[in-house]
Amino acid sequence: MRLGLALGYWGRGPDPRHVPLAQEAERLGYHSVWTAESWGSDVFTPLTWIAAQTSTIRLGTAVAQMAARSPTTTAMHALTLDHLSGGRVMLGLGLSGPQVVEGWYGRPFPKSPLTATKEYVDVVRQVLRRQAPVELDGRFHSHPYRGPDGTRLGKALKPITHPLRAELPILLGAEGPKNIAQTTRIADGWLPLYWSPNRPEVYEASLAEAPEGFLVAPMAQVRVCDDVAEGLLPVKTMLGFYIGGMGHAARNFHADLMARMGYEEQARRIQRLFLEGRREEAVLAVPDAFADEISLVGPRERIAERLESWRKGPVTDLLALAPDRESLRVLAELNA
């Protein structure tokens, strides 16, 4: 099982720890470093900054939001950074949800998410392979554009720049069972949001047809500390925000996922409290058991014992949301 460092997205401003942490991860032998985006900092610029100050560590997006860019634009970003970094890019894509897509990007959330995802990946693949001009008669992504409001003058094009790698790895941040199953057919890997090594049955059917070499790269908060309850607070804060606030009351993919993992009653309570403005109560309502099973928190010996269960399943890459150098170092030593 390889290790990655997940840095997430910026809060109020740039995090001065990110580049030193990425450099430390590279020194410790981590395979990859990953950035993210929501509705603030973008995913590619910080990754490019890290690329310029590292030399071997792979560079991943977890995730680049599909609504933020047309598929050809995303492919342009990926092929450009892949050249500049010497072939280190791993392109992670995600749909996000209706609240962000329609509220921030000002465009409709696709009524058929599976079709929209498949078309998006198809176009990105065509750009990177550069075998012919990009053409797709798609429901969501037509190339050339043939909509009723177009000029009908669009020309099928292929990239001027020759991509460094035609088969640059593409991973998808899928959550629903059908979306995960499709991911095994159209992508090189999957980026689970929550992964519990104790509940393999949650994803077993969706991963049944995954090909050999398919990547499974979940994120997990990692923290070496003496007090487990205290160490779990950042995990619970993250869960409270995602389950309570990252989606509408009627459609929240994160809450639905928590429900499928055996915590339906608690997920709906967290949603209700958060939407009522009782955010601290929402965080405290996150069960310690759920926060604990999707993270690696506690003394070194406890993390070492629990790490074994992560190794036994289909996980190929553990992406550590680690807030400090010590946690990075301990995880590298335990996984050696």
Side-chain angles (χ1 to χ4, degrees):
M1 185 176 68
R2 302 180 302 194
L3 297 179
L5 168 64
L7 295 172
Y9 45 78
W10 295 352
R12 182 171 295 182
D15 191 325
R17 300 173 300 170
H18 282 183
V19 169
L21 280 173
Q23 292 171 329
E24 178 69 0
E26 181 174 73
R27 188 188 70 78
L28 290 168
Y30 277 62
H31 175 261
S32 55
V33 57
W34 303 74
T35 54
E37 62 187 2
S38 53
W39 52 90
S41 60
D42 79 279
V43 71
F44 286 105
T45 309
L47 201 61
T48 304
W49 188 247
I50 291 168
Q53 299 179 76
T54 56
S55 57
T56 59
I57 197 166
R58 300 296 194 278
L59 308 158
T61 58
V63 293
Q65 295 177 327
M66 297 183 206
R69 306 163 190 87
S70 70
T72 48
T73 307
T74 294
M76 289 167 66
H77 278 295
L79 75 84
T80 302
L81 182 53
D82 205 43
H83 269 291
L84 293 175
S85 66
R88 291 191 276 154
V89 171
M90 302 175 75
L91 181 60
L93 303 170
L95 276 174
S96 191
Q99 188 179 51
V100 175
V101 172
E102 298 185 2
W104 180 248
Y105 294 114
R107 56 194 306 171
F109 187 79
K111 293 182 178 179
S112 180
L114 271 72
T115 301
T117 299
K118 185 177 181 180
E119 290 180 6
Y120 199 102
V121 172
D122 187 343
V123 173
V124 172
R125 295 274 198 208
Q126 287 191 52
V127 173
L128 294 174
R129 288 171 179 165
R130 202 180 179 273
Q131 295 172 339
V134 176
E135 291 193 83
L136 180 68
D137 186 15
R139 177 179 172 185
F140 299 97
H141 301 288
S142 291
H143 291 267
Y145 181 72
R146 300 181 180 90
D149 56 343
T151 64
R152 299 285 173 168
L153 300 177
K155 179 182 178 181
L157 301 168
K158 63 180 179 180
I160 297 170
T161 304
H162 291 228
L164 183 64
R165 292 182 296 161
E167 301 303 325
L168 184 153
I170 297 176
L171 298 86
L172 296 177
E175 292 186 41
K178 291 181 180 179
N179 205 343
I180 297 169
Q182 175 177 267
T183 297
T184 66
R185 297 190 295 270
I186 68 172
D188 303 295
W190 172 44
L191 294 160
L193 181 62
Y194 311 137
W195 177 272
S196 170
N198 305 327
R199 301 175 188 271
E201 70 282 356
V202 175
Y203 303 115
E204 191 172 16
S206 299
L207 294 174
E209 298 181 13
E212 185 177 352
F214 185 78
L215 304 177
V216 177
M219 291 186 191
Q221 290 207 33
V222 178
R223 179 165 300 194
V224 178
C225 58
D226 294 327
D227 189 327
V228 174
E230 182 180 342
L232 287 175
L233 276 176
V235 186
K236 295 176 66 168
T237 299
M238 176 272 293
L239 287 170
F241 176 63
Y242 272 76
I243 293 162
M246 288 285 273
H248 190 270
R251 195 170 188 184
N252 183 314
F253 300 136
H254 310 301
D256 293 344
L257 175 57
M258 183 178 176
R260 287 197 300 276
M261 296 179 75
Y263 295 90
E264 182 168 10
E265 183 179 341
Q266 295 93 326
R268 303 311 170 197
R269 182 165 183 263
I270 294 165
Q271 268 190 296
R272 186 176 66 254
L273 289 170
F274 196 95
L275 293 172
E276 289 174 357
R278 299 154 68 184
R279 297 191 175 190
E280 290 186 11
E281 291 180 65
V283 169
L284 294 175
V286 176
D288 282 5
F290 181 58
D292 194 28
E293 68 182 271
I294 65 169
S295 61
L296 288 163
V297 172
R300 179 188 177 109
E301 297 74 19
R302 185 176 193 265
I303 291 177
E305 180 181 349
R306 299 182 67 244
L307 192 61
E308 290 303 315
S309 61
W310 288 76
R311 288 200 189 98
K312 291 177 182 177
V315 173
T316 60
D317 297 77
L318 172 60
L319 311 186
L321 286 156
D324 58 82
R325 288 172 177 260
E326 182 190 2
S327 296
L328 278 182
R329 177 184 58 78
V330 169
L331 186 63
E333 291 172 356
L334 293 177
N335 195 58

